[in-house]
C-alpha cells in the first residue's frame, strides 16, 4: 500500500477556489520561500537534481532577461531582496565546512 | 527488551497560534507557549533521509508532495494566521518540535504578527513581444541588399535593447504602483519560458502582502492590465497564497 500521509487535513475547509496553481509557482514558494527549519531528517533541497535544474532555470532566466534587457529587478535593493544566490552559497559553504569537519552543524 | 524501530516521523507545515482551532483529523497541533506547530505523521519509508533523497528526484512524487504541503497551508491560512515553513521540516520526535518552538519563539512570533490578517497575492506581467513591438509602430523595411541586410540586423539589435528597456520600465513602474496598495511586496525573478511553457515572456513576478479582504491591489492589477493590454502586456493575479514570501526575517541591509 502506498501511503502518503502528507495530505490535506480532514476537517479543514477546502482550499479557496481558484484555478489550479502553476507548478512553478508552487515549487517557487514551497521549496524556495518560507521559514527554513533544519529538522532532524536532513534534507538539502539543493541536492535535488530536478530542483537544481529548476533553480538553474530560475537563475538562467536572469541571464536571458539581461540579454532581453529586462533585468530590471537585478541590483535594485528597493525592488529585489532576493538573497537566493547568497543563501545558496552559504548553504554550500556550510556543507563543505561540515564535510571538512569545520564549523558547527547547524541549520 | 528491544524497542520497536520507529517507522514514522513528524512533518511540520508551519506555525499558528496555540489557540487556533483547526479541527483536522490528519493534522496535529503541537502547542508550546503561545505557538503551535501543525504536524502530520509521515512514514519513514518515504520521508527517511535516504528515501527522501531519492523521492525528491522523482518528479511526480515531488509535485504531489509540494502541492500537498501547499494545500495544507492554504487550508490553514483560510482559518488562521499561519507562518509557512519551507518543504521538508521533519522530526523523529514530537518533543523536538516543541524544542524548535521554544528556541525560535521570538522569530516565529514576529513572523506570525507580520502576516496576521493578511494574505499574499501574486501579480505577474506577461509580454507578447511581437504585439508590443508592433504597437511601437516602427516597422523595419525589408532589406534590398546585403548591406541593407546588415544594417537591418544592427537596427534590429538596437531595437531589441530598446524594447527590453521599455518592458523593464513598464514592469518596474507596475511593481512600484502595486506596492502602494500593499503592506509589503517583493519582485522575484520572472520564470523563464522553459518553466512557464508560455509564448509570452514573464516580465514581472511580484508577491504582495495585503490585508485580507482588501481589493485595492487586485484593482490596480486590473487597471494596469487595461492600460497595457492593447500593447500586448497582460497582468495576472494569483492567490490568495499563504504568506510564503513574507515570513523570513527581513534582510538587514
Amino acid at each position: 500500500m502506498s501511503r502518503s500521509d502528507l495530505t490535506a487535513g480532514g476537517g479543514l475547509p477546502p482550499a479557496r477556489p481558484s484555478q489550479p496553481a502553476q507548478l512553478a509557482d508552487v515549487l517557487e514558494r514551497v521549496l524556495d520561500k518560507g521559514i527554513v527549519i533544519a529538522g532532524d531528517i536532513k534534507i538539502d533541497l539543493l541536492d535535488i537534481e530536478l530542483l537544481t535544474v529548476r533553480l538553474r532555470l530560475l537563475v538562467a532566466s536572469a541571464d536571458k532577461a539581461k540579454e532581453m534587457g529586462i533585468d530590471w529587478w537585478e541590483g535594485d535593493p528597493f525592488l529585489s531582496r532576493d538573497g537566493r544566490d547568497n543563501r545558496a552559497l552559504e548553504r554550500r559553504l556550510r556543507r563543505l565546512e561540515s564535510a571538512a569537519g569545520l564549523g558547527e552543524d547547524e541549520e | 527488551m528491544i524497542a520497536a524501530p520507529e517507522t514514522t516521523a513528524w512533518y511540520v507545515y508551519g506555525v499558528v497560534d496555540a489557540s487556533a482551532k483547526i479541527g483536522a483529523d490528519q493534522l496535529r497541533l503541537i502547542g508550546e507557549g503561545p505557538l503551535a506547530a501543525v504536524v502530520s505523521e509521515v512514514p519513514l519509508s518515504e520521508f527517511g533521509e535516504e528515501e527522501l533523497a531519492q523521492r525528491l528526484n522523482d518528479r511526480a512524487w515531488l509535485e504531489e508532495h509540494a502541492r500537498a504541503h501547499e494545500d495544507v497551508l492554504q487550508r490553514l491560512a483560510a482559518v488562521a494566521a499561519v507562518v509557512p515553513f519551507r518543504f521538508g521540516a521533519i522530526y523523529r520526535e514530537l518533543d523536538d518540535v516543541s524544542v524548535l518552538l521554544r528556541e525560535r519563539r521570538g522569530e516565529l512570533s514576529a513572523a506570525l504578527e507580520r502576516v496576521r490578517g493578511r494574505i499574499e497575492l501574486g501579480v505577474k506581467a506577461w509580454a507578447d513581444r511581437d504585439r508590443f513591438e508592433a504597437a511601437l509602430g516602427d516597422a523595419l523595411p525589408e532589406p534590398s541588399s546585403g548591406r541593407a541586410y546588415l544594417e537591418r540586423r544592427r537596427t534590429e539589435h538596437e531595437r531589441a535593447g530598446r524594447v527590453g528597456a521599455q518592458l523593464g520600465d513598464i514592469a518596474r513602474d507596475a511593481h512600484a504602483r502595486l506596492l502602494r496598495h500593499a503592506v509589503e511586496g517583493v519582485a522575484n525573478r520572472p520564470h523563464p519560458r522553459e518553466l512557464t511553457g508560455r509564448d509570452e515572456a514573464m516580465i514581472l513576478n511580484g508577491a504582495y502582502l495585503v490585508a485580507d479582504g482588501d481589493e485595492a491591489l487586485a484593482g490596480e492589477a486590473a487597471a494596469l492590465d487595461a492600460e497595457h493590454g492593447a500593447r500586448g502586456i497582460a497582468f495576472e493575479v494569483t492567490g490568495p497564497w499563504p504568506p510564503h514570501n513574507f515570513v523570513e526575517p527581513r534582510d538587514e541591509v
Side-chain angles (χ1 to χ4, degrees):
Chain A
M1 184 172 75
S2 150
R3 193 163 68 109
S4 177
D5 286 341
L6 194 57
T7 52
L12 285 171
R16 299 188 203 189
S18 59
Q19 65 276 57
Q22 293 290 314
L23 179 60
D25 286 348
V26 172
L27 290 182
E28 180 188 6
R29 285 180 164 81
V30 165
L31 301 178
D32 194 45
K33 312 291 179 190
I35 294 217
V36 182
I37 300 291
D40 54 21
I41 306 272
K42 292 284 175 258
I43 161 174
D44 191 336
L45 296 176
L46 276 185
D47 283 342
I48 307 175
E49 270 170 53
L50 178 72
L51 182 65
T52 311
V53 171
R54 287 187 177 276
L55 281 181
R56 226 184 278 137
L57 282 173
L58 283 172
V59 172
S61 67
D63 293 335
K64 235 170 240 174
K66 204 164 284 173
E67 269 173 41
M68 291 169 63
I70 54 163
D71 56 336
W72 58 275
W73 68 92
E74 291 288 325
D76 188 334
F78 174 67
L79 295 174
S80 165
R81 50 182 194 100
D82 189 340
R84 188 195 318 275
D85 297 333
N86 284 339
R87 289 206 306 270
L89 283 173
E90 275 165 25
R91 281 194 293 247
R92 230 170 248 294
L93 179 62
R94 238 176 282 129
R95 218 167 48 217
L96 288 170
E97 280 178 346
S98 80
L102 304 165
E104 63 282 347
D105 188 22
E106 255 273 69
E107 23 152 280
Chain B
M1 193 173 108
I2 302 164
E6 46 181 75
T7 57
T8 60
W10 299 94
Y11 185 101
V12 193
Y13 299 89
V15 162
V16 296
D17 292 306
S19 58
K21 300 269 183 293
I22 62 160
D25 305 341
Q26 296 161 55
L27 297 175
R28 280 179 67 173
L29 277 187
I30 305 304
E32 174 67 38
L35 302 173
V38 182
V39 307
S40 71
E41 197 168 13
V42 292
L44 279 171
S45 60
E46 271 189 279
F47 289 86
E49 220 154 279
E50 283 171 28
E51 292 79 1
L52 201 51
Q54 288 175 12
R55 304 271 182 177
L56 287 171
N57 280 304
D58 176 342
R59 194 203 140 102
W61 190 94
L62 181 65
E63 169 163 5
E64 181 192 340
H65 291 85
R67 285 192 186 278
H69 178 102
E70 171 64 19
D71 192 50
V72 167
L73 288 170
Q74 287 256 0
R75 288 158 181 252
L76 286 170
V79 296
V82 60
V83 174
F85 282 2
R86 190 168 302 192
F87 184 90
I90 307 162
Y91 288 90
R92 288 197 170 80
E93 306 286 341
L94 278 181
D95 282 352
D96 292 330
V97 177
S98 304
V99 171
L100 161 78
L101 293 179
R102 223 167 25 241
E103 285 181 348
R104 294 178 69 168
R105 177 182 296 178
E107 176 198 345
L108 293 171
S109 296
L112 201 53
E113 291 318 311
R114 186 174 167 195
V115 302
R116 188 183 301 284
R118 296 166 173 168
I119 57 167
E120 177 176 321
L121 292 176
V123 179
K124 296 209 186 89
W126 302 90
D128 178 333
R129 224 180 147 100
D130 291 341
R131 269 182 70 194
F132 185 76
E133 289 194 36
L136 289 178
D138 51 346
L140 297 172
E142 283 303 313
S144 54
S145 65
R147 185 196 175 101
Y149 173 78
L150 287 178
E151 270 173 16
R152 177 177 166 152
R153 286 293 300 275
R154 204 183 62 225
T155 314
E156 275 175 350
H157 191 72
E158 285 167 6
R159 193 170 67 173
R162 223 163 57 231
V163 167
Q166 289 187 18
L167 290 174
D169 285 345
I170 289 170
R172 182 196 303 269
D173 289 348
H175 181 61
R177 274 172 63 177
L178 292 163
L179 275 179
R180 288 205 282 272
H181 301 280
V183 182
E184 291 183 57
V186 57
N188 289 314
R189 287 198 166 119
H191 301 164
R193 284 201 180 85
E194 291 90 328
L195 281 186
T196 65
R198 285 174 63 154
D199 290 335
E200 304 95 327
M202 193 191 294
I203 60 170
L204 171 66
N205 180 22
Y208 306 89
L209 188 68
V210 303
D212 196 0
D214 185 348
E215 309 277 334
L217 185 107
E220 187 71 17
L224 284 162
D225 188 70
E227 281 171 42
H228 294 289
R231 292 199 283 168
I233 297 172
F235 287 79
E236 222 173 65
V237 179
T238 63
W241 298 91
H244 299 273
N245 276 279
F246 303 100
V247 290
E248 271 195 279
R250 295 176 182 82
D251 291 351
E252 304 295 317
V253 187

